[in-house]
Amino acid sequence: MGTVTLGVSIAVPEPYGSLLQERRASFGDPAAHGIPTHVTLLPPTEAEAADLPAIQAHLAGIATGGRPFPMRLSGTGTFRPLSPVVFVQVVEGASACSWLQKRVRDASGPLVRELQFPYHPHVTVAHGITEEAMDRAYAELGDYEAAWTCGSFALYEQGPDSVWRKINEFPFAAGGGAPALPAQSSSSVDAPSLHP
């Protein structure tokens, strides 16, 4: 069956997701239209395609133990010079995102992996582009604000065309359904604590 490249993330819902995706494209980031706007829970990870049922069962189990939580974005940050990234900051919901990503990568599950950098929830708006364009992204989105209730997270697969597509969404069991979102934005959204 071969391998697949997977990622797990919280989608930034509409209208915020499309707006930030368009802004990312406007800064000259060629990856903008292949990556739905999101907060990463598991970075791109190679897995055996045969393991997909176990991976989905693992993620469903995590969602069952979670509940919707408030998410709020505010202002910009950067990982430069360590990594060529400008992002919108997660100022509410970060602890819930951390709780989730630890469980996604838990040693008892099928998605065990080490991270290249310490986990820091964020929404990338520029990556690997010119310094001038990164400076523009940092400045122009410096007063950006968005808030919602996060009701789910999703599993994505990267296609041969480098576009990320949602495979499945995992709503939190403890909080009812999340609002329906367009295909490119796969989460609903705001976040107190995820802990049951």
Side-chain angles (χ1 to χ4, degrees):
M1 280 183 98
T3 62
V4 289
T5 301
L6 303 175
V8 178
S9 64
I10 293 169
V12 174
E14 297 304 328
Y16 315 118
S18 292
L19 183 147
L20 288 176
Q21 193 173 43
E22 289 304 318
R23 293 307 308 272
R24 183 170 179 171
S26 79
F27 300 132
D29 190 328
H33 290 296
I35 305 173
T37 307
H38 67 282
V39 176
T40 298
L41 298 176
L42 177 77
T45 300
E46 292 293 315
E48 294 295 325
D51 291 340
L52 273 170
I55 289 168
Q56 295 207 54
H58 170 64
L59 296 175
I62 294 167
T64 298
R67 67 176 183 243
F69 59 92
M71 289 277 288
R72 188 164 66 89
L73 309 179
S74 181
T76 49
T78 184
F79 294 132
R80 296 183 291 173
L82 194 58
S83 181
V85 172
V86 171
F87 56 86
V88 173
Q89 299 187 74
V90 174
V91 296
E92 185 175 5
S95 62
C97 291
S98 293
W99 185 87
L100 280 171
Q101 66 89 25
K102 283 179 190 167
R103 278 143 190 85
V104 168
R105 297 184 302 106
D106 191 81
S108 66
L111 292 171
V112 180
R113 68 161 288 172
E114 293 299 316
L115 298 180
Q116 184 178 1
F117 301 107
Y119 182 72
H120 183 276
H122 64 280
V123 177
T124 298
V125 291
H127 179 239
I129 57 178
T130 68
E131 288 297 317
E132 294 76 17
M134 300 254 251
D135 291 343
R136 192 162 64 88
Y138 187 89
E140 290 183 14
L141 292 170
D143 60 356
Y144 184 80
E145 297 278 339
W148 70 91
T149 297
C150 178
S152 63
F153 60 89
L155 174 66
Y156 290 81
E157 180 179 350
Q158 186 178 37
D161 56 0
S162 296
V163 173
W164 288 90
R165 294 176 178 85
K166 182 168 61 173
I167 296 175
N168 201 353
E169 188 162 356
F170 301 92
F172 299 128
L181 299 171
Q184 284 295 72
S185 308
S186 77
S187 238
S188 339
V189 300
D190 253 68
S193 171
L194 252 187
H195 308 283

